């Protein structure tokens, strides 16, 4: 059982900063921040879950069944992540590429302490056993100063796992698969990394979030492993019997010149290649949702709508479905995992080709972070525009990808990757 307390906030921005600094003492931290981005399906402005009471960690084998059992038995808030490699549980696939990070395939925990921020109020939920700590914790949180940047220049040497010529070769190989009819589209990713590197995870996250201000920002800590994410994309959300998927396909850079920025936005909206990428993934999402949907309930609420973020314009579609009350929430995730925007179509063929051409195991990149509520609702993002860090191994990594279709130009795809990588590189190198 949890005790609930509601507090009004005089300065929400300051409280969020103080809360995140205070959270660093714990081994398990999930911070989800919408950056006040106005969107139809938002529940909270920000959420913090810390300090595991119970948890589950597993490799991909029967991972969804184990998660289902854990979620059912806990019947409480649980927070955690699903790595891309859980595809090996869903289909007869493997992940044998290089992995410099070493994150477990799946991890969830039941937090002792939970903070739900909405409209200048915070709802605080503590498990009964730790409720006496609340007043003391609030005093400590309110005594922290706002996080100050150290302004130290990072001496980080970013390396490429796939160099430019090799990238062209691999994209051409993927195009050959498309022209032969093996796939219509696949998301091809490449890793940028740094070895023997120390970073300050919280400061790095704060800088990345300040650059991008995305609606699905995440700071995740599991002992020595960190995810610092400026994700703009929702993977899947459940609200009672409604399922919502919001795939992103189609990216254009921003311009400080208003006229030019509007032109870039308009060009993206009318770009035949970008629209076809998005529509193919919408079809895939509709197919995935149909596995658990009540017949005739799938709707495309938005098709190829342009959303504007601080760094880029994005083409986003919104697909919804209805499920029966008896459908288990984990089954909805399992039947749609991994998300279509990070795989391709047909999905299984695309995942096999991706595995052969990519040089790195994706792990948490292009996986998902989120939570289940006690009522069985859930909300999960797509882990993109993210920095991953293993403090013990001193290994820093960020990956970017793009959808390859028959109309893809390898040079343009490469340049799009660099646009997506810009925020992470800027944060790490400056």
């Amino acid at each position: 059982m949890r005790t609930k307390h509601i507090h009004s906030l005089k300065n929400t921005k300051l409280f969020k900063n103080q809360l995140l600094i205070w959270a660093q003492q714990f081994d398990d931290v999930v911070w989800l921040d919408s950056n006040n981005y106005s969107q139809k399906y938002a529940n909270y402005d920000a959420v913090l879950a810390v300090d595991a009471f119970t948890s589950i960690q597993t490799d991909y084998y029967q991972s969804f069944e184990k998660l289902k059992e854990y979620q059912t038995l806990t019947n409480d808030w649980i927070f955690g992540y699903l790595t891309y490699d859980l595809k090996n549980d869903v289909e007869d696939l493997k992940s044998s590429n290089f992995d410099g990070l070493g994150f477990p395939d799946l991890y969830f925990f039941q937090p002792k302490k939970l903070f739900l921020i909405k409209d200048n109020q915070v709802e605080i939920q503590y498990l009964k056993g730790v409720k006496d700590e609340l007043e003391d914790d609030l005093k400590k949180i309110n005594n922290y100063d706002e996080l100050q940047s150290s302004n130290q220049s990072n001496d980080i040497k970013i390396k490429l796992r796939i160099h430019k010529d090799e990238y062209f070769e691999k994209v051409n190989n993927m195009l050959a698969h498309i022209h032969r009819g093996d796939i219509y589209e696949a998301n091809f990713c490449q890793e940028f990394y740094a070895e023997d590197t120390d970073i300050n995870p919280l400061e790095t996250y704060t800088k990345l979030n300040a650059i991008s201000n995305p609606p699905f920002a995440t700071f995740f800590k599991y002992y020595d492993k960190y995810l610092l994410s400026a994700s703009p994309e929702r993977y899947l959300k459940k609200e009672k019997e409604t399922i919502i998927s919001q795939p992103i396909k189609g990216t254009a850079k921003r311009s400080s010149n208003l006229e030019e920025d509007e032109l870039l936005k308009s060009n993206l909206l009318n770009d035949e290649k970008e629209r076809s990428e998005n529509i193919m993934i919408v079809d895939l999402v509709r197919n995935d949702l149909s596995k658990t949907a009540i017949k005739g309930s799938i709707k495309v609420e938005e098709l190829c709508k342009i959303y504007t973020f601080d760094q880029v314009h994005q083409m986003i579609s919104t697909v919804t479905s209805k499920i029966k009350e008896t459908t288990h929430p984990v089954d909805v995730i399992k039947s749609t995992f991994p998300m279509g925007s990070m795989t391709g179509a047909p999905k299984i063929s695309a995942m096999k080709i991706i595995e052969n051409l990519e040089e790195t195991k994706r792990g948490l990149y292009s996986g998902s972070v989120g939570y289940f509520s006690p009522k069985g609702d859930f909300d999960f993002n797509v882990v993109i525009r993210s920095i991953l860090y293993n403090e013990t191994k001193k290994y820093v990594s960020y990956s970017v990808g793009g959808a390859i279709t028959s109309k893809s130009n390898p040079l343009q795809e490469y340049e799009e990757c660099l646009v997506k990588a810009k925020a992470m590189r800027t944060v790490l190198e400056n």
Side-chain angles (χ1 to χ4, degrees), residues 201-220:
L202 182 55
E203 191 179 311
T204 305
Y205 163 76
T206 306
K207 285 180 180 172
L208 183 64
N209 191 40
I211 285 176
S212 304
N213 283 306
F216 297 99
T218 305
F219 177 92
F220 172 87

Side-chain angles (χ1 to χ4, degrees), residues 249-430:
K249 269 286 156 270
T251 305
K253 62 184 180 185
R254 298 287 315 271
S255 171
S256 52
N257 177 310
L258 277 176
E259 271 182 36
E260 194 186 345
D261 198 51
E262 279 304 313
L263 182 65
L264 287 163
K265 193 173 167 180
S266 170
N267 288 346
L268 176 60
L269 180 63
N270 297 303
D271 187 308
E272 195 186 328
K273 175 195 169 281
E274 302 284 20
R275 288 184 75 86
S276 68
E277 276 182 24
N278 196 299
I279 290 163
M280 276 190 240
I281 295 308
V282 167
D283 277 345
L284 191 151
V285 168
R286 287 168 62 212
N287 183 60
D288 280 351
L289 291 180
S290 73
K291 294 168 190 171
T292 55
I294 293 167
K295 202 172 178 182
S297 70
I298 297 173
K299 289 189 176 74
V300 179
E301 287 191 4
E302 294 174 335
L303 186 64
C304 299
K305 186 176 173 182
I306 306 300
Y307 285 74
T308 296
F309 301 97
D310 287 11
Q311 292 277 303
V312 289
H313 299 293
Q314 300 277 197
M315 191 183 279
I316 304 178
S317 292
T318 300
V319 189
T320 63
S321 69
K322 298 280 185 195
I323 58 166
K324 289 177 181 163
E325 215 175 300
T326 51
T327 304
H328 198 283
V330 174
D331 287 335
V332 181
I333 294 172
K334 184 181 179 180
S335 63
T336 59
F337 199 83
M339 63 290 301
S341 61
M342 295 307 295
T343 50
K347 206 172 187 179
I348 299 167
S349 300
M351 288 192 285
K352 285 177 179 171
I353 292 164
I354 286 164
E355 179 67 28
N356 287 334
L357 290 175
E358 290 179 359
E359 295 292 329
T360 316
K361 179 179 169 176
R362 289 194 186 176
L364 187 45
Y365 170 70
S366 83
S368 186
V369 172
Y371 63 85
F372 292 87
S373 78
K375 291 177 178 170
D377 287 343
F378 59 71
D379 201 0
F380 284 88
N381 71 3
V382 177
V383 178
I384 51 174
R385 319 285 155 86
S386 301
I387 295 166
L388 289 146
Y389 177 47
N390 184 318
E391 195 171 31
T392 306
K393 289 184 172 185
K394 296 188 172 191
Y395 189 88
V396 178
S397 166
Y398 61 91
S399 293
V400 288
I404 310 301
T405 67
S406 62
K407 288 189 165 71
S408 288
N409 172 312
L411 178 60
Q412 285 172 349
E413 293 296 341
Y414 190 76
E415 286 169 352
E416 186 183 307
C417 282
L418 297 184
V419 168
K420 290 173 179 172
K422 188 183 168 193
M424 281 91 75
R425 186 160 207 146
T426 302
V427 163
L428 288 170
E429 290 188 341
N430 298 317

Side-chain angles (χ1 to χ4, degrees), residues 1-7 76-77 111-116 122-135:
M1 282 290 294
R2 291 182 179 274
T3 56
K4 293 182 185 180
H5 308 262
I6 306 245
H7 292 261
D76 188 15
W77 291 92
K112 290 179 188 173
K113 304 175 183 189
L114 180 62
F115 298 76
L116 306 163
V122 59
E123 181 183 317
I124 305 170
Q125 297 191 18
Y126 273 36
L127 283 178
K128 274 282 201 296
V130 290
K131 75 176 194 301
D132 300 342
E133 297 169 26
L134 176 60
E135 215 163 292

Side-chain angles (χ1 to χ4, degrees), residues 91-122:
E91 302 293 346
D92 184 16
L93 298 166
K94 62 184 192 308
S95 296
S96 47
N97 287 330
F98 172 77
D99 175 18
L101 287 157
F103 279 66
D105 288 341
L106 177 147
Y107 180 71
F108 277 83
F109 73 97
Q110 176 189 13
K112 290 179 188 173
K113 304 175 183 189
L114 180 62
F115 298 76
L116 306 163
I117 299 169
K118 180 82 174 171
D119 299 333
N120 299 321
Q121 276 196 330
V122 59

Side-chain angles (χ1 to χ4, degrees), residues 164-231:
K164 194 173 179 179
D165 289 348
E166 195 187 355
Y167 178 88
F168 290 169
E169 201 179 300
K170 286 174 180 285
V171 170
N172 282 322
N173 189 324
M174 197 163 263
L175 283 167
H177 280 288
I178 291 168
H179 295 140
R180 203 167 62 207
D182 301 332
I183 47 170
Y184 309 112
E185 170 178 1
N187 196 292
F188 176 55
C189 301
Q190 55 176 323
E191 183 195 24
F192 297 78
Y193 67 101
E195 296 164 301
D196 299 320
T197 298
D198 290 302
I199 62 170
N200 178 324
L202 182 55
E203 191 179 311
T204 305
Y205 163 76
T206 306
K207 285 180 180 172
L208 183 64
N209 191 40
I211 285 176
S212 304
N213 283 306
F216 297 99
T218 305
F219 177 92
F220 172 87
K221 175 188 178 188
Y222 174 45
Y223 290 89
D224 62 343
K225 296 173 184 71
Y226 293 86
L227 165 73
L228 323 167
S229 178
S231 174

